[in-house]
Amino acid sequence: MADERNFRSSYYEKVGCRGVEEKKSLEILMKEKPWDRVKLKQFCLRFMVPAAYRNLVWKVLLDILPVYAESHKFVMEQRKKQYGDLLYAVDMLELVDMSAPRTQILLAMWLLENEERKPPLFPETNFNSADTFIPIAKTLVELYDNEVDVYWICKSLTEIVRGMQKDVLKLKEGFQSMLEKEDVELFNHLVEINALDVLPLTKWFNCCFAGVLDDTSLPKIWDKVCSGAPKILSFVAVMLVITLRRSILKAANGDEVLKCVLEIPEQCEEVVANKAIELWQYGAQPQSDQLAKK
């Protein structure tokens, strides 16, 4: 059901004003002293963050920067120094080949900082730091020129995924129940050919769809993840499968289904992101979208 705001937003979008309205609303929040992180999260849950402000907003949401705008410059200087110390350390300790891809070097820095030299903490979900950190870092490198920002945002998103591991089963269950509700024919087909378990859901969730969707589609999804709503990843998976339904319905077995979802047409990626957000916003309750109450 569309409320008054949804009606107004739809009208503004048709006349090309929606982005202007949302940008002004965000700018008002950013003028508050200090910033109200709760209001900022609520904004990001309801709207797409304007690209010009996304880097800064994410850093505040992820607690990389404080809510006090006057402290941002100083804190980022400290973050930069810490980044430099880690970079120097992995070089001196020969923890990584410094001629390796930059994402590998960033991963080595993160592993050193977290002292992660033991088996994965969540073997039941196949969680592996590299499988999360590297794809996310590759996407962030495309989005931002500042490598310090890339490191800190990637670190925070990886930590979100680590904390999400206990709820991966809930994400999978949510995916199945939602898919059955939204497209029962497609759901039944996947059940009949024993292909539901073939879908790489854990991999998708653990990399937040980095490397699956392109870097123009992902940021609007990550707006929600950074705001504390990882449940949206289930909605993305549902819309990804539904968007590819024509090909999937022709598949005769799990291997053919897997091939379908690993070969996403480029023109479909933006559709998947937009429709996932739409389904999530009107089919869920974003304000209380935490997977597990803390």
mmCIF file of all heavy atoms in Angstrom, residues 105-154:
data_model
loop_
_atom_site.group_PDB
_atom_site.id
_atom_site.type_symbol
_atom_site.label_atom_id
_atom_site.label_comp_id
_atom_site.label_asym_id
_atom_site.label_seq_id
_atom_site.Cartn_x
_atom_site.Cartn_y
_atom_site.Cartn_z
ATOM 1 N N ILE A 105 47.035 -7.030 -1.158
ATOM 2 C CA ILE A 105 47.810 -6.315 -0.141
ATOM 3 C C ILE A 105 46.884 -5.773 0.948
ATOM 4 O O ILE A 105 47.177 -5.873 2.143
ATOM 5 C CB ILE A 105 48.617 -5.166 -0.794
ATOM 6 C CG1 ILE A 105 49.636 -5.749 -1.786
ATOM 7 C CG2 ILE A 105 49.313 -4.317 0.271
ATOM 8 C CD1 ILE A 105 50.358 -4.710 -2.611
ATOM 9 N N LEU A 106 45.746 -5.235 0.531
ATOM 10 C CA LEU A 106 44.766 -4.739 1.503
ATOM 11 C C LEU A 106 44.268 -5.870 2.396
ATOM 12 O O LEU A 106 44.075 -5.691 3.608
ATOM 13 C CB LEU A 106 43.588 -4.079 0.781
ATOM 14 C CG LEU A 106 43.900 -2.816 -0.031
ATOM 15 C CD1 LEU A 106 42.649 -2.325 -0.744
ATOM 16 C CD2 LEU A 106 44.459 -1.719 0.869
ATOM 17 N N LEU A 107 44.052 -7.046 1.803
ATOM 18 C CA LEU A 107 43.615 -8.205 2.584
ATOM 19 C C LEU A 107 44.673 -8.587 3.622
ATOM 20 O O LEU A 107 44.350 -8.866 4.786
ATOM 21 C CB LEU A 107 43.331 -9.398 1.679
ATOM 22 C CG LEU A 107 43.015 -10.725 2.392
ATOM 23 C CD1 LEU A 107 41.736 -10.600 3.220
ATOM 24 C CD2 LEU A 107 42.903 -11.867 1.392
ATOM 25 N N ALA A 108 45.947 -8.599 3.211
ATOM 26 C CA ALA A 108 47.027 -8.935 4.141
ATOM 27 C C ALA A 108 47.061 -7.954 5.308
ATOM 28 O O ALA A 108 47.298 -8.342 6.463
ATOM 29 C CB ALA A 108 48.365 -8.930 3.400
ATOM 30 N N MET A 109 46.796 -6.682 5.029
ATOM 31 C CA MET A 109 46.757 -5.675 6.079
ATOM 32 C C MET A 109 45.620 -5.960 7.059
ATOM 33 O O MET A 109 45.793 -5.878 8.280
ATOM 34 C CB MET A 109 46.596 -4.283 5.458
ATOM 35 C CG MET A 109 47.812 -3.832 4.653
ATOM 36 S SD MET A 109 47.449 -2.458 3.527
ATOM 37 C CE MET A 109 46.831 -1.216 4.645
ATOM 38 N N TRP A 110 44.465 -6.312 6.513
ATOM 39 C CA TRP A 110 43.312 -6.594 7.360
ATOM 40 C C TRP A 110 43.545 -7.836 8.215
ATOM 41 O O TRP A 110 43.219 -7.867 9.404
ATOM 42 C CB TRP A 110 42.062 -6.775 6.491
ATOM 43 C CG TRP A 110 40.816 -6.962 7.305
ATOM 44 C CD1 TRP A 110 40.077 -5.987 7.907
ATOM 45 C CD2 TRP A 110 40.174 -8.206 7.616
ATOM 46 N NE1 TRP A 110 39.008 -6.547 8.574
ATOM 47 C CE2 TRP A 110 39.052 -7.905 8.402
ATOM 48 C CE3 TRP A 110 40.452 -9.541 7.296
ATOM 49 C CZ2 TRP A 110 38.185 -8.887 8.881
ATOM 50 C CZ3 TRP A 110 39.593 -10.520 7.768
ATOM 51 C CH2 TRP A 110 38.476 -10.192 8.550
ATOM 52 N N LEU A 111 44.147 -8.860 7.607
ATOM 53 C CA LEU A 111 44.434 -10.086 8.354
ATOM 54 C C LEU A 111 45.425 -9.816 9.489
ATOM 55 O O LEU A 111 45.291 -10.350 10.593
ATOM 56 C CB LEU A 111 44.989 -11.158 7.412
ATOM 57 C CG LEU A 111 44.005 -11.725 6.385
ATOM 58 C CD1 LEU A 111 44.728 -12.660 5.423
ATOM 59 C CD2 LEU A 111 42.864 -12.461 7.072
ATOM 60 N N LEU A 112 46.420 -8.977 9.209
ATOM 61 C CA LEU A 112 47.388 -8.635 10.242
ATOM 62 C C LEU A 112 46.708 -7.877 11.379
ATOM 63 O O LEU A 112 46.941 -8.167 12.559
ATOM 64 C CB LEU A 112 48.510 -7.778 9.645
ATOM 65 C CG LEU A 112 49.545 -7.240 10.644
ATOM 66 C CD1 LEU A 112 50.295 -8.396 11.312
ATOM 67 C CD2 LEU A 112 50.520 -6.300 9.939
ATOM 68 N N GLU A 113 45.876 -6.931 11.021
ATOM 69 C CA GLU A 113 45.196 -6.128 12.041
ATOM 70 C C GLU A 113 44.273 -6.983 12.899
ATOM 71 O O GLU A 113 44.100 -6.739 14.094
ATOM 72 C CB GLU A 113 44.383 -5.016 11.355
ATOM 73 C CG GLU A 113 43.804 -4.010 12.320
ATOM 74 C CD GLU A 113 43.083 -2.879 11.617
ATOM 75 O OE1 GLU A 113 42.839 -2.990 10.400
ATOM 76 O OE2 GLU A 113 42.762 -1.892 12.290
ATOM 77 N N ASN A 114 43.685 -8.022 12.295
ATOM 78 C CA ASN A 114 42.754 -8.879 13.019
ATOM 79 C C ASN A 114 43.413 -10.133 13.578
ATOM 80 O O ASN A 114 42.731 -10.968 14.173
ATOM 81 C CB ASN A 114 41.588 -9.279 12.102
ATOM 82 C CG ASN A 114 40.622 -8.131 11.874
ATOM 83 O OD1 ASN A 114 39.687 -7.933 12.621
ATOM 84 N ND2 ASN A 114 40.882 -7.346 10.833
ATOM 85 N N GLU A 115 44.721 -10.254 13.325
ATOM 86 C CA GLU A 115 45.475 -11.410 13.806
ATOM 87 C C GLU A 115 44.796 -12.722 13.421
ATOM 88 O O GLU A 115 44.718 -13.661 14.201
ATOM 89 C CB GLU A 115 45.642 -11.347 15.327
ATOM 90 C CG GLU A 115 46.432 -10.149 15.789
ATOM 91 C CD GLU A 115 46.612 -10.105 17.298
ATOM 92 O OE1 GLU A 115 45.864 -10.798 17.997
ATOM 93 O OE2 GLU A 115 47.501 -9.358 17.750
ATOM 94 N N GLU A 116 44.276 -12.749 12.199
ATOM 95 C CA GLU A 116 43.541 -13.932 11.755
ATOM 96 C C GLU A 116 44.509 -14.920 11.111
ATOM 97 O O GLU A 116 44.782 -14.883 9.926
ATOM 98 C CB GLU A 116 42.432 -13.540 10.766
ATOM 99 C CG GLU A 116 41.512 -14.696 10.436
ATOM 100 C CD GLU A 116 40.302 -14.239 9.649
ATOM 101 O OE1 GLU A 116 39.627 -13.301 10.091
ATOM 102 O OE2 GLU A 116 40.041 -14.824 8.598
ATOM 103 N N ARG A 117 44.992 -15.812 11.927
ATOM 104 C CA ARG A 117 45.920 -16.820 11.434
ATOM 105 C C ARG A 117 45.429 -18.211 11.823
ATOM 106 O O ARG A 117 46.162 -19.109 12.107
ATOM 107 C CB ARG A 117 47.313 -16.596 12.047
ATOM 108 C CG ARG A 117 47.999 -15.340 11.522
ATOM 109 C CD ARG A 117 48.412 -15.511 10.061
ATOM 110 N NE ARG A 117 49.062 -14.311 9.553
ATOM 111 C CZ ARG A 117 48.400 -13.327 8.981
ATOM 112 N NH1 ARG A 117 47.092 -13.389 8.872
ATOM 113 N NH2 ARG A 117 49.051 -12.274 8.510
ATOM 114 N N LYS A 118 44.102 -18.348 11.916
ATOM 115 C CA LYS A 118 43.519 -19.624 12.301
ATOM 116 C C LYS A 118 42.405 -20.004 11.337
ATOM 117 O O LYS A 118 42.014 -19.188 10.495
ATOM 118 C CB LYS A 118 42.977 -19.560 13.727
ATOM 119 C CG LYS A 118 42.546 -18.212 14.191
ATOM 120 C CD LYS A 118 42.229 -18.217 15.671
ATOM 121 C CE LYS A 118 41.701 -16.859 16.102
ATOM 122 N NZ LYS A 118 41.340 -16.795 17.473
ATOM 123 N N PRO A 119 41.859 -21.238 11.448
ATOM 124 C CA PRO A 119 40.807 -21.677 10.532
ATOM 125 C C PRO A 119 39.600 -20.745 10.588
ATOM 126 O O PRO A 119 39.405 -20.014 11.566
ATOM 127 C CB PRO A 119 40.450 -23.080 11.055
ATOM 128 C CG PRO A 119 41.653 -23.519 11.794
ATOM 129 C CD PRO A 119 42.251 -22.291 12.390
ATOM 130 N N PRO A 120 38.752 -20.744 9.554
ATOM 131 C CA PRO A 120 37.561 -19.899 9.542
ATOM 132 C C PRO A 120 36.723 -20.114 10.801
ATOM 133 O O PRO A 120 36.615 -21.228 11.317
ATOM 134 C CB PRO A 120 36.818 -20.356 8.284
ATOM 135 C CG PRO A 120 37.873 -20.927 7.406
ATOM 136 C CD PRO A 120 38.885 -21.538 8.324
ATOM 137 N N LEU A 121 36.124 -19.036 11.296
ATOM 138 C CA LEU A 121 35.324 -19.113 12.510
ATOM 139 C C LEU A 121 33.981 -19.781 12.269
ATOM 140 O O LEU A 121 33.352 -20.269 13.208
ATOM 141 C CB LEU A 121 35.090 -17.687 13.057
ATOM 142 C CG LEU A 121 36.336 -16.911 13.469
ATOM 143 C CD1 LEU A 121 35.960 -15.491 13.847
ATOM 144 C CD2 LEU A 121 37.027 -17.602 14.631
ATOM 145 N N PHE A 122 33.539 -19.818 11.028
ATOM 146 C CA PHE A 122 32.214 -20.337 10.723
ATOM 147 C C PHE A 122 32.290 -21.359 9.593
ATOM 148 O O PHE A 122 31.831 -21.105 8.473
ATOM 149 C CB PHE A 122 31.269 -19.190 10.328
ATOM 150 C CG PHE A 122 31.201 -18.085 11.345
ATOM 151 C CD1 PHE A 122 31.998 -16.963 11.213
ATOM 152 C CD2 PHE A 122 30.346 -18.171 12.434
ATOM 153 C CE1 PHE A 122 31.950 -15.945 12.147
ATOM 154 C CE2 PHE A 122 30.286 -17.153 13.368
ATOM 155 C CZ PHE A 122 31.083 -16.040 13.237
ATOM 156 N N PRO A 123 32.867 -22.538 9.851
ATOM 157 C CA PRO A 123 33.001 -23.534 8.780
ATOM 158 C C PRO A 123 31.670 -23.972 8.204
ATOM 159 O O PRO A 123 31.576 -24.333 7.030
ATOM 160 C CB PRO A 123 33.712 -24.699 9.484
ATOM 161 C CG PRO A 123 33.428 -24.508 10.937
ATOM 162 C CD PRO A 123 33.372 -23.029 11.134
ATOM 163 N N GLU A 124 30.590 -23.904 9.012
ATOM 164 C CA GLU A 124 29.285 -24.358 8.527
ATOM 165 C C GLU A 124 28.715 -23.446 7.444
ATOM 166 O O GLU A 124 27.844 -23.841 6.674
ATOM 167 C CB GLU A 124 28.286 -24.483 9.694
ATOM 168 C CG GLU A 124 27.897 -23.170 10.360
ATOM 169 C CD GLU A 124 28.907 -22.674 11.394
ATOM 170 O OE1 GLU A 124 29.987 -23.279 11.512
ATOM 171 O OE2 GLU A 124 28.608 -21.680 12.076
ATOM 172 N N THR A 125 29.186 -22.196 7.361
ATOM 173 C CA THR A 125 28.713 -21.286 6.317
ATOM 174 C C THR A 125 29.774 -21.037 5.257
ATOM 175 O O THR A 125 29.612 -20.174 4.400
ATOM 176 C CB THR A 125 28.295 -19.922 6.921
ATOM 177 O OG1 THR A 125 29.432 -19.332 7.563
ATOM 178 C CG2 THR A 125 27.173 -20.078 7.922
ATOM 179 N N ASN A 126 30.875 -21.797 5.339
ATOM 180 C CA ASN A 126 31.962 -21.653 4.368
ATOM 181 C C ASN A 126 32.529 -20.242 4.341
ATOM 182 O O ASN A 126 33.017 -19.783 3.312
ATOM 183 C CB ASN A 126 31.492 -22.040 2.955
ATOM 184 C CG ASN A 126 31.077 -23.490 2.881
ATOM 185 O OD1 ASN A 126 31.736 -24.364 3.427
ATOM 186 N ND2 ASN A 126 29.962 -23.756 2.217
ATOM 187 N N PHE A 127 32.445 -19.547 5.476
ATOM 188 C CA PHE A 127 32.959 -18.183 5.510
ATOM 189 C C PHE A 127 34.471 -18.188 5.417
ATOM 190 O O PHE A 127 35.160 -18.900 6.145
ATOM 191 C CB PHE A 127 32.531 -17.465 6.789
ATOM 192 C CG PHE A 127 33.127 -16.088 6.919
ATOM 193 C CD1 PHE A 127 32.633 -15.039 6.165
ATOM 194 C CD2 PHE A 127 34.195 -15.843 7.768
ATOM 195 C CE1 PHE A 127 33.189 -13.762 6.266
ATOM 196 C CE2 PHE A 127 34.754 -14.578 7.884
ATOM 197 C CZ PHE A 127 34.244 -13.542 7.123
ATOM 198 N N ASN A 128 34.964 -17.389 4.509
ATOM 199 C CA ASN A 128 36.403 -17.214 4.350
ATOM 200 C C ASN A 128 36.645 -15.728 4.130
ATOM 201 O O ASN A 128 36.027 -15.119 3.257
ATOM 202 C CB ASN A 128 36.908 -18.031 3.158
ATOM 203 C CG ASN A 128 38.408 -17.910 2.973
ATOM 204 O OD1 ASN A 128 38.899 -16.868 2.547
ATOM 205 N ND2 ASN A 128 39.136 -18.975 3.269
ATOM 206 N N SER A 129 37.526 -15.166 4.936
ATOM 207 C CA SER A 129 37.754 -13.722 4.873
ATOM 208 C C SER A 129 38.078 -13.241 3.463
ATOM 209 O O SER A 129 37.573 -12.208 3.011
ATOM 210 C CB SER A 129 38.896 -13.340 5.809
ATOM 211 O OG SER A 129 38.604 -13.697 7.135
ATOM 212 N N ALA A 130 38.916 -13.988 2.760
ATOM 213 C CA ALA A 130 39.332 -13.573 1.418
ATOM 214 C C ALA A 130 38.144 -13.531 0.459
ATOM 215 O O ALA A 130 38.053 -12.643 -0.390
ATOM 216 C CB ALA A 130 40.411 -14.513 0.878
ATOM 217 N N ASP A 131 37.221 -14.492 0.596
ATOM 218 C CA ASP A 131 36.070 -14.553 -0.308
ATOM 219 C C ASP A 131 35.117 -13.386 -0.091
ATOM 220 O O ASP A 131 34.305 -13.071 -0.966
ATOM 221 C CB ASP A 131 35.307 -15.872 -0.102
ATOM 222 C CG ASP A 131 36.116 -17.076 -0.552
ATOM 223 O OD1 ASP A 131 37.058 -16.892 -1.343
ATOM 224 O OD2 ASP A 131 35.810 -18.197 -0.105
ATOM 225 N N THR A 132 35.200 -12.779 1.082
ATOM 226 C CA THR A 132 34.395 -11.587 1.362
ATOM 227 C C THR A 132 35.182 -10.326 1.035
ATOM 228 O O THR A 132 34.716 -9.449 0.309
ATOM 229 C CB THR A 132 33.973 -11.562 2.852
ATOM 230 O OG1 THR A 132 33.087 -12.652 3.100
ATOM 231 C CG2 THR A 132 33.270 -10.256 3.197
ATOM 232 N N PHE A 133 36.379 -10.225 1.574
ATOM 233 C CA PHE A 133 37.170 -8.999 1.480
ATOM 234 C C PHE A 133 37.560 -8.667 0.038
ATOM 235 O O PHE A 133 37.387 -7.515 -0.410
ATOM 236 C CB PHE A 133 38.419 -9.147 2.339
ATOM 237 C CG PHE A 133 39.158 -7.855 2.582
ATOM 238 C CD1 PHE A 133 38.986 -7.145 3.755
ATOM 239 C CD2 PHE A 133 40.033 -7.341 1.628
ATOM 240 C CE1 PHE A 133 39.669 -5.959 3.987
ATOM 241 C CE2 PHE A 133 40.718 -6.162 1.844
ATOM 242 C CZ PHE A 133 40.536 -5.463 3.023
ATOM 243 N N ILE A 134 38.068 -9.650 -0.693
ATOM 244 C CA ILE A 134 38.598 -9.375 -2.044
ATOM 245 C C ILE A 134 37.523 -8.861 -3.007
ATOM 246 O O ILE A 134 37.719 -7.822 -3.658
ATOM 247 C CB ILE A 134 39.297 -10.619 -2.628
ATOM 248 C CG1 ILE A 134 40.554 -10.968 -1.810
ATOM 249 C CG2 ILE A 134 39.668 -10.404 -4.087
ATOM 250 C CD1 ILE A 134 41.669 -9.978 -1.926
ATOM 251 N N PRO A 135 36.367 -9.528 -3.151
ATOM 252 C CA PRO A 135 35.350 -9.006 -4.076
ATOM 253 C C PRO A 135 34.856 -7.617 -3.680
ATOM 254 O O PRO A 135 34.650 -6.759 -4.547
ATOM 255 C CB PRO A 135 34.222 -10.046 -3.986
ATOM 256 C CG PRO A 135 34.861 -11.277 -3.477
ATOM 257 C CD PRO A 135 35.944 -10.821 -2.557
ATOM 258 N N ILE A 136 34.663 -7.408 -2.381
ATOM 259 C CA ILE A 136 34.204 -6.092 -1.929
ATOM 260 C C ILE A 136 35.259 -5.033 -2.230
ATOM 261 O O ILE A 136 34.944 -3.928 -2.702
ATOM 262 C CB ILE A 136 33.855 -6.125 -0.432
ATOM 263 C CG1 ILE A 136 32.603 -6.983 -0.201
ATOM 264 C CG2 ILE A 136 33.633 -4.712 0.110
ATOM 265 C CD1 ILE A 136 32.233 -7.175 1.255
ATOM 266 N N ALA A 137 36.523 -5.358 -1.981
ATOM 267 C CA ALA A 137 37.608 -4.414 -2.256
ATOM 268 C C ALA A 137 37.680 -4.077 -3.735
ATOM 269 O O ALA A 137 37.891 -2.914 -4.117
ATOM 270 C CB ALA A 137 38.938 -4.989 -1.774
ATOM 271 N N LYS A 138 37.504 -5.081 -4.595
ATOM 272 C CA LYS A 138 37.546 -4.838 -6.043
ATOM 273 C C LYS A 138 36.458 -3.862 -6.471
ATOM 274 O O LYS A 138 36.683 -2.985 -7.319
ATOM 275 C CB LYS A 138 37.404 -6.161 -6.803
ATOM 276 C CG LYS A 138 38.651 -7.043 -6.763
ATOM 277 C CD LYS A 138 38.437 -8.323 -7.559
ATOM 278 C CE LYS A 138 39.706 -9.179 -7.572
ATOM 279 N NZ LYS A 138 39.492 -10.458 -8.298
ATOM 280 N N THR A 139 35.281 -4.000 -5.884
ATOM 281 C CA THR A 139 34.190 -3.074 -6.210
ATOM 282 C C THR A 139 34.496 -1.675 -5.696
ATOM 283 O O THR A 139 34.304 -0.682 -6.408
ATOM 284 C CB THR A 139 32.867 -3.578 -5.605
ATOM 285 O OG1 THR A 139 32.503 -4.818 -6.228
ATOM 286 C CG2 THR A 139 31.745 -2.573 -5.828
ATOM 287 N N LEU A 140 34.979 -1.583 -4.460
ATOM 288 C CA LEU A 140 35.272 -0.274 -3.873
ATOM 289 C C LEU A 140 36.382 0.453 -4.615
ATOM 290 O O LEU A 140 36.360 1.687 -4.734
ATOM 291 C CB LEU A 140 35.636 -0.433 -2.397
ATOM 292 C CG LEU A 140 34.483 -0.849 -1.469
ATOM 293 C CD1 LEU A 140 35.011 -1.189 -0.080
ATOM 294 C CD2 LEU A 140 33.439 0.265 -1.382
ATOM 295 N N VAL A 141 37.351 -0.284 -5.132
ATOM 296 C CA VAL A 141 38.425 0.332 -5.916
ATOM 297 C C VAL A 141 37.853 1.005 -7.162
ATOM 298 O O VAL A 141 38.365 2.043 -7.611
ATOM 299 C CB VAL A 141 39.489 -0.725 -6.295
ATOM 300 C CG1 VAL A 141 40.401 -0.213 -7.391
ATOM 301 C CG2 VAL A 141 40.314 -1.108 -5.074
ATOM 302 N N GLU A 142 36.803 0.421 -7.711
ATOM 303 C CA GLU A 142 36.148 1.019 -8.878
ATOM 304 C C GLU A 142 35.338 2.252 -8.497
ATOM 305 O O GLU A 142 35.151 3.165 -9.300
ATOM 306 C CB GLU A 142 35.230 -0.009 -9.549
ATOM 307 C CG GLU A 142 35.946 -1.194 -10.163
ATOM 308 C CD GLU A 142 36.914 -0.783 -11.265
ATOM 309 O OE1 GLU A 142 36.554 0.109 -12.062
ATOM 310 O OE2 GLU A 142 38.038 -1.323 -11.316
ATOM 311 N N LEU A 143 34.865 2.274 -7.254
ATOM 312 C CA LEU A 143 34.013 3.376 -6.812
ATOM 313 C C LEU A 143 34.802 4.583 -6.312
ATOM 314 O O LEU A 143 34.411 5.731 -6.528
ATOM 315 C CB LEU A 143 33.082 2.902 -5.683
ATOM 316 C CG LEU A 143 31.981 1.902 -6.052
ATOM 317 C CD1 LEU A 143 31.262 1.434 -4.791
ATOM 318 C CD2 LEU A 143 30.994 2.519 -7.028
ATOM 319 N N TYR A 144 35.925 4.306 -5.630
ATOM 320 C CA TYR A 144 36.656 5.383 -4.961
ATOM 321 C C TYR A 144 38.140 5.360 -5.310
ATOM 322 O O TYR A 144 38.762 4.301 -5.367
ATOM 323 C CB TYR A 144 36.492 5.275 -3.439
ATOM 324 C CG TYR A 144 35.048 5.304 -2.994
ATOM 325 C CD1 TYR A 144 34.504 4.263 -2.248
ATOM 326 C CD2 TYR A 144 34.214 6.358 -3.341
ATOM 327 C CE1 TYR A 144 33.172 4.278 -1.843
ATOM 328 C CE2 TYR A 144 32.887 6.393 -2.948
ATOM 329 C CZ TYR A 144 32.372 5.346 -2.200
ATOM 330 O OH TYR A 144 31.063 5.368 -1.822
ATOM 331 N N ASP A 145 38.705 6.549 -5.497
ATOM 332 C CA ASP A 145 40.118 6.680 -5.824
ATOM 333 C C ASP A 145 40.998 6.602 -4.581
ATOM 334 O O ASP A 145 42.163 6.219 -4.669
ATOM 335 C CB ASP A 145 40.382 8.015 -6.532
ATOM 336 C CG ASP A 145 39.687 8.096 -7.886
ATOM 337 O OD1 ASP A 145 39.537 7.037 -8.529
ATOM 338 O OD2 ASP A 145 39.301 9.201 -8.291
ATOM 339 N N ASN A 146 40.444 6.971 -3.444
ATOM 340 C CA ASN A 146 41.227 7.032 -2.203
ATOM 341 C C ASN A 146 41.357 5.631 -1.601
ATOM 342 O O ASN A 146 40.388 5.060 -1.109
ATOM 343 C CB ASN A 146 40.550 7.980 -1.214
ATOM 344 C CG ASN A 146 41.415 8.258 0.007
ATOM 345 O OD1 ASN A 146 42.084 7.370 0.517
ATOM 346 N ND2 ASN A 146 41.408 9.502 0.460
ATOM 347 N N GLU A 147 42.571 5.101 -1.611
ATOM 348 C CA GLU A 147 42.802 3.737 -1.136
ATOM 349 C C GLU A 147 42.589 3.609 0.368
ATOM 350 O O GLU A 147 42.232 2.526 0.861
ATOM 351 C CB GLU A 147 44.225 3.299 -1.481
ATOM 352 C CG GLU A 147 44.393 1.802 -1.595
ATOM 353 C CD GLU A 147 45.733 1.435 -2.213
ATOM 354 O OE1 GLU A 147 46.690 1.280 -1.445
ATOM 355 O OE2 GLU A 147 45.793 1.332 -3.448
ATOM 356 N N VAL A 148 42.789 4.674 1.103
ATOM 357 C CA VAL A 148 42.537 4.651 2.542
ATOM 358 C C VAL A 148 41.049 4.429 2.792
ATOM 359 O O VAL A 148 40.649 3.612 3.633
ATOM 360 C CB VAL A 148 43.014 5.951 3.214
ATOM 361 C CG1 VAL A 148 42.675 5.951 4.701
ATOM 362 C CG2 VAL A 148 44.515 6.133 3.007
ATOM 363 N N ASP A 149 40.208 5.149 2.053
ATOM 364 C CA ASP A 149 38.758 4.954 2.164
ATOM 365 C C ASP A 149 38.375 3.534 1.784
ATOM 366 O O ASP A 149 37.544 2.899 2.447
ATOM 367 C CB ASP A 149 38.021 5.941 1.261
ATOM 368 C CG ASP A 149 38.053 7.365 1.781
ATOM 369 O OD1 ASP A 149 38.421 7.555 2.963
ATOM 370 O OD2 ASP A 149 37.729 8.289 1.017
ATOM 371 N N VAL A 150 38.968 3.034 0.718
ATOM 372 C CA VAL A 150 38.674 1.674 0.265
ATOM 373 C C VAL A 150 38.961 0.679 1.375
ATOM 374 O O VAL A 150 38.145 -0.204 1.678
ATOM 375 C CB VAL A 150 39.496 1.316 -1.001
ATOM 376 C CG1 VAL A 150 39.389 -0.183 -1.306
ATOM 377 C CG2 VAL A 150 39.015 2.127 -2.197
ATOM 378 N N TYR A 151 40.121 0.825 2.019
ATOM 379 C CA TYR A 151 40.500 -0.119 3.069
ATOM 380 C C TYR A 151 39.516 -0.081 4.237
ATOM 381 O O TYR A 151 39.024 -1.125 4.688
ATOM 382 C CB TYR A 151 41.909 0.173 3.584
ATOM 383 C CG TYR A 151 42.280 -0.725 4.748
ATOM 384 C CD1 TYR A 151 42.571 -2.068 4.527
ATOM 385 C CD2 TYR A 151 42.265 -0.247 6.058
ATOM 386 C CE1 TYR A 151 42.876 -2.919 5.593
ATOM 387 C CE2 TYR A 151 42.562 -1.088 7.123
ATOM 388 C CZ TYR A 151 42.866 -2.419 6.881
ATOM 389 O OH TYR A 151 43.137 -3.265 7.932
ATOM 390 N N TRP A 152 39.218 1.105 4.723
ATOM 391 C CA TRP A 152 38.383 1.208 5.916
ATOM 392 C C TRP A 152 36.945 0.787 5.656
ATOM 393 O O TRP A 152 36.313 0.139 6.502
ATOM 394 C CB TRP A 152 38.449 2.626 6.479
ATOM 395 C CG TRP A 152 39.735 2.864 7.217
ATOM 396 C CD1 TRP A 152 40.852 3.497 6.763
ATOM 397 C CD2 TRP A 152 40.053 2.405 8.535
ATOM 398 N NE1 TRP A 152 41.841 3.468 7.706
ATOM 399 C CE2 TRP A 152 41.382 2.806 8.811
ATOM 400 C CE3 TRP A 152 39.353 1.700 9.502
ATOM 401 C CZ2 TRP A 152 42.011 2.537 10.025
ATOM 402 C CZ3 TRP A 152 39.981 1.426 10.718
ATOM 403 C CH2 TRP A 152 41.290 1.843 10.960
ATOM 404 N N ILE A 153 36.408 1.140 4.498
ATOM 405 C CA ILE A 153 35.033 0.733 4.183
ATOM 406 C C ILE A 153 34.969 -0.775 3.964
ATOM 407 O O ILE A 153 34.055 -1.461 4.438
ATOM 408 C CB ILE A 153 34.503 1.493 2.949
ATOM 409 C CG1 ILE A 153 34.370 2.989 3.267
ATOM 410 C CG2 ILE A 153 33.137 0.936 2.515
ATOM 411 C CD1 ILE A 153 34.017 3.851 2.064
ATOM 412 N N CYS A 154 35.964 -1.307 3.264
ATOM 413 C CA CYS A 154 36.015 -2.750 3.017
ATOM 414 C C CYS A 154 36.136 -3.509 4.340
ATOM 415 O O CYS A 154 35.479 -4.541 4.543
ATOM 416 C CB CYS A 154 37.180 -3.085 2.100
ATOM 417 S SG CYS A 154 37.189 -4.797 1.544
#
